[in-house]
Amino acid sequence: MTAPDEQPGSAAHVLELVANGSATSRADLVRELGLAASTVSARVQELVEAGLLAESGEGASRGGRRPRLLRVAEQGAVALAADLGSHHIRTGAVGLTGDAFDIDDHAVDLTAGPEPALDTLAERLGTLAERQRAAGRTVRGIGVGFPGPVDADGARIIAPSRMPGWHLFPLRDRLAARLGLPVLLDNDANMMALGEHRAAHPTPRHLVVVKAGRGIGSGVISDGRLHRGARGSAGDISHVRVDEAAELPCSCGNIGCLETVASGAAIAAALREKGIAVDSATDILRLVENGEPHATTLVRQAGRDIGAVLAVVVNFFNPEAVILGGALSGAQPLVAAVRGMLYERCLPMATSDLTINAAGCGPDAGLLGAGQAVLRRHTMTDAPPAPAAARS
């Protein structure tokens, strides 16, 4: 996920500083980056020639000539983004200023296998690409967050739970071949972590972002960058064994995994066993908001179980923030229980300045992360690179 153009002082870094308002002129960039004025000017000129930045107007003088103001080009590049859930696809476009727009949700069942989902995904993204081009925007690529493990190369799905037929499916290359655009594929929790970090929590350099929805996952930001680990599985907390799960069998083939008791799917199943009609995380939230005792108890216990696992992560990794996202993060009993377990089980040194909050980007976090990852990788080419399938 980390590309050379994401390095500090790169053209992509310059673009990000202008897009987020940290710098409005070349002089600002020199101060922010600590680089020579000639180096900064070369980066800016590269972005201007690519149509990504524009210079117009004059800012306030600080003793010399008035600086020309920099801004992101209004009709600049966009990335298409897709956040996949087990039963839905959320798509949208993401601009250089970090905003998501033209967002759409569509029902799809990933458990029915990869081919029908690929058809739907290609159709939705193809239509979205046509709309962006009609508006005069350049589509640089596609970012996809998938609710399951993705290999280290970001090409294939690896043994996703409860999704027969997806193992080793080359989603990146198949989608790139269908749409003629480069595709960046990663786990959905990783994409959410990128989105939350860059859009809502840009200051912390070390944070853990948890996605608690139908399943459970987390993404890790280390020193300001997504950490994927040696094989791409960093942050997978769903199959950590917890006491509450006892001997419950998990879809991974093990027993006692966190997912078997703390995921939205597990909570929904437990409620149905009690005769309570529930299918989705939205149904669970509605029950909790209405004070349904069984739902509230199960959600609170899920928060304790998630918190118990995260306590090990916090003690080991020592992040500045733990951010709780996904549909279940809207349940206050879950957030409170996670926070309580972290303060109870973590070292005081690890929690003295620790921020523990619900996510700030809502359902758009995954789209924002996927889109921004693509833009940082592909914005420095006038024409989009050839699809991955064509390069192999």
Side-chain angles (χ1 to χ4, degrees):
M1 288 289 294
T2 300
D5 63 1
E6 293 178 354
Q7 299 297 327
S10 66
H13 190 198
V14 169
L15 181 62
E16 181 177 1
L17 290 173
V18 175
N20 66 23
S22 298
T24 60
S25 68
R26 299 186 188 215
D28 288 347
L29 288 168
V30 169
R31 285 188 291 272
E32 286 284 337
L33 297 170
L35 298 176
S38 58
T39 301
V40 169
S41 289
R43 299 285 189 272
V44 170
Q45 191 60 35
E46 185 179 357
L47 290 162
V48 170
E49 291 176 357
L52 303 175
L53 284 184
E55 283 186 298
S56 62
E58 293 183 337
S61 172
R62 295 193 179 188
R65 267 189 323 184
R66 288 176 172 270
R68 298 192 67 191
L69 296 178
L70 292 168
R71 59 177 175 79
V72 174
E74 293 180 2
Q75 297 297 327
V78 297
L80 309 184
D83 186 19
L84 278 60
S86 59
H87 290 80
H88 80 279
I89 292 175
R90 185 174 177 86
T91 58
V94 177
L96 292 168
T97 55
D99 55 322
F101 53 94
D102 207 349
I103 296 171
D104 181 58
D105 280 292
H106 186 76
V108 66
D109 185 3
L110 295 188
T111 65
E115 296 295 345
L118 175 62
D119 289 342
T120 301
L121 183 59
E123 178 186 355
R124 310 297 291 188
L125 289 172
T127 301
L128 179 61
E130 291 174 3
R131 290 200 297 268
Q132 301 314 305
R133 290 168 180 142
R137 304 184 184 102
T138 301
V139 178
R140 294 293 182 179
I142 301 167
V144 179
F146 185 85
V150 174
D151 68 12
D153 295 328
R156 298 173 181 267
I157 310 302
I158 303 295
S161 299
R162 304 181 306 276
M163 293 183 192
W166 281 95
H167 180 53
L168 297 182
F169 186 75
L171 179 58
R172 181 194 67 186
D173 293 354
R174 291 286 301 276
L175 187 60
R178 291 279 289 268
L179 296 177
L181 288 165
V183 174
L184 193 157
L185 172 68
D186 207 338
N187 172 261
D188 60 343
N190 284 343
M191 292 302 197
M192 171 179 279
L194 283 172
E196 280 292 326
H197 174 49
R198 287 169 175 164
H201 306 278
T203 301
R205 302 288 294 172
H206 308 277
L207 65 158
V208 175
V209 179
V210 177
K211 184 172 185 178
R214 192 174 185 87
I216 298 176
S218 73
V220 178
I221 302 294
S222 178
D223 197 22
R225 297 182 182 179
L226 179 67
H227 177 69
R228 301 185 75 241
R231 301 297 301 165
S233 66
D236 189 350
I237 62 173
S238 58
H239 299 291
V240 175
R241 188 164 183 170
V242 294
D243 293 339
E244 188 68 21
E247 301 299 313
L248 291 174
C250 181
S251 58
C252 73
N254 213 327
I255 58 173
C257 296
L258 176 66
E259 185 173 283
T260 64
V261 290
S263 65
I267 294 171
L271 289 170
R272 286 194 295 268
E273 288 180 0
K274 297 181 181 297
I276 301 173
V278 59
D279 179 55
S280 65
T282 301
D283 295 333
I284 296 171
L285 290 181
R286 174 178 48 79
L287 291 170
V288 172
E289 290 170 358
N290 291 336
E292 206 290 320
H294 296 297
T296 302
T297 297
L298 287 169
V299 165
R300 184 175 289 117
Q301 183 58 52
R304 292 193 186 100
D305 294 332
I306 295 171
V309 172
L310 288 178
V312 179
V313 175
V314 169
N315 278 331
F316 178 79
F317 177 52
N318 189 203
E320 296 163 81
V322 171
I323 307 301
L324 303 173
L328 290 180
S329 67
Q332 285 304 309
L334 182 138
V335 176
V338 170
R339 184 179 287 115
M341 289 298 288
L342 289 179
Y343 283 122
E344 176 185 332
R345 297 197 176 187
C346 291
L347 295 169
M349 185 176 180
T351 57
S352 59
D353 294 314
L354 180 67
T355 298
I356 308 166
N357 282 326
C361 296
D364 292 341
L367 294 180
L368 292 170
Q372 290 174 26
V374 170
L375 290 171
R376 277 157 181 76
R377 180 165 292 192
H378 295 300
T379 49
M380 295 316 302
T381 306
D382 287 337
R391 296 196 304 269
S392 58

